[in-house]
Amino acid sequence: MIIYLHGFDSTSPGNHEKVLQLQFIDADVRFVNYSTLHPKHDMQHLLKEVQRLIDGSDDPMPLICGVGLGGYWSERVGFLCGIKQVLFNPNLHPEHNMEGKIDRPEEYLDISTKCVTDFRQKNRARCLCFLSSKDEALNSQSSFDELSPYYDIVWDQKESHKFKKIAHHLQQIKAFKAS
């Protein structure tokens, strides 16, 4: 089972395309929708929904995958639920770059202070991150600097922030899921 979390734009047609592409790895891909506007509510909803999906699955190696803001949530929720994560251009600091787009961006700071201390150190090797060198929305080099001490990073030279096509990374994701 692969759990897919959309980015800030939940209605982007690229979400459906990514779900279809992920089905080449595992036929059981679950799309989880969340509001994107209320971080504390989103975290409660995502934790509950992801755990429900894990509990209802017989897959011994479920995976959670997200793009942008979905990558932010995939890393944290995946860690808390004990499953591997795949991130595409994760939005690591929505408290800084989501102002004016969501109601309470400061809630992301509150969430980070309540998270497990040094969670990335404890999550080492359980997360695979894809960064686009052509990300027009986020600073990929900054994301690399923050995540590379803990996770394997794969650079993509073609895709933009929304990572419309992930097909050329499917074999690597499949191997990561199975390892």
Side-chain angles (χ1 to χ4, degrees), residues 127-143:
C127 183
L128 176 62
C129 183
F130 295 88
L131 296 174
S132 171
S133 62
K134 297 179 180 182
D135 188 337
E136 73 286 359
L138 300 171
N139 181 331
S140 295
Q141 185 60 51
S142 178
S143 297

Side-chain angles (χ1 to χ4, degrees), residues 22 25 63-67 70-72 74-75 78-79 83-90 92 120 123-131 143 147-148 150-155 163 166 168-179:
L22 288 169
I25 297 171
L63 180 79
I64 190 167
C65 176
V67 178
Y72 172 89
S74 293
E75 182 188 20
F79 169 74
I83 63 174
K84 288 182 177 181
Q85 314 101 50
V86 172
L87 317 177
F88 290 92
N89 288 331
L92 300 179
R120 286 190 176 127
N123 197 40
R124 187 181 292 276
R126 297 197 41 82
C127 183
L128 176 62
C129 183
F130 295 88
L131 296 174
S143 297
L147 297 176
S148 64
Y150 308 102
Y151 310 142
D152 286 339
I153 307 292
V154 178
W155 283 99
F163 251 97
I166 61 172
H168 50 290
H169 298 297
L170 292 178
Q171 288 305 315
Q172 193 167 13
I173 297 168
K174 183 176 182 176
F176 176 71
K177 182 181 184 303
S179 66

Side-chain angles (χ1 to χ4, degrees), residues 43 47 51 74-83 85 115-116:
M43 183 153 190
L47 279 169
Q51 192 60 56
S74 293
E75 182 188 20
R76 281 154 184 79
V77 171
F79 169 74
L80 293 171
C81 291
I83 63 174
Q85 314 101 50
C115 205
V116 176

Side-chain angles (χ1 to χ4, degrees), residues 14-99:
N15 289 317
H16 180 68
E17 291 175 25
K18 282 187 276 298
V19 167
L20 291 175
Q21 291 172 65
L22 288 169
Q23 287 177 334
F24 283 103
I25 297 171
D26 191 317
D28 187 10
V29 179
R30 311 289 181 95
F31 182 89
V32 177
N33 195 18
Y34 59 101
S35 78
T36 73
L37 300 177
H38 307 288
K40 284 186 180 180
H41 171 77
D42 289 343
M43 183 153 190
Q44 290 172 349
H45 167 72
L46 288 169
L47 279 169
K48 185 176 163 183
E49 186 64 15
V50 168
Q51 192 60 56
R52 183 186 70 76
L53 291 172
I54 293 168
D55 292 345
S57 173
D58 60 358
D59 186 341
M61 305 285 281
L63 180 79
I64 190 167
C65 176
V67 178
L69 188 59
Y72 172 89
W73 288 119
S74 293
E75 182 188 20
R76 281 154 184 79
V77 171
F79 169 74
L80 293 171
C81 291
I83 63 174
K84 288 182 177 181
Q85 314 101 50
V86 172
L87 317 177
F88 290 92
N89 288 331
N91 185 346
L92 300 179
H93 296 285
E95 69 275 12
H96 299 304
N97 56 40
M98 299 296 285
E99 285 187 25

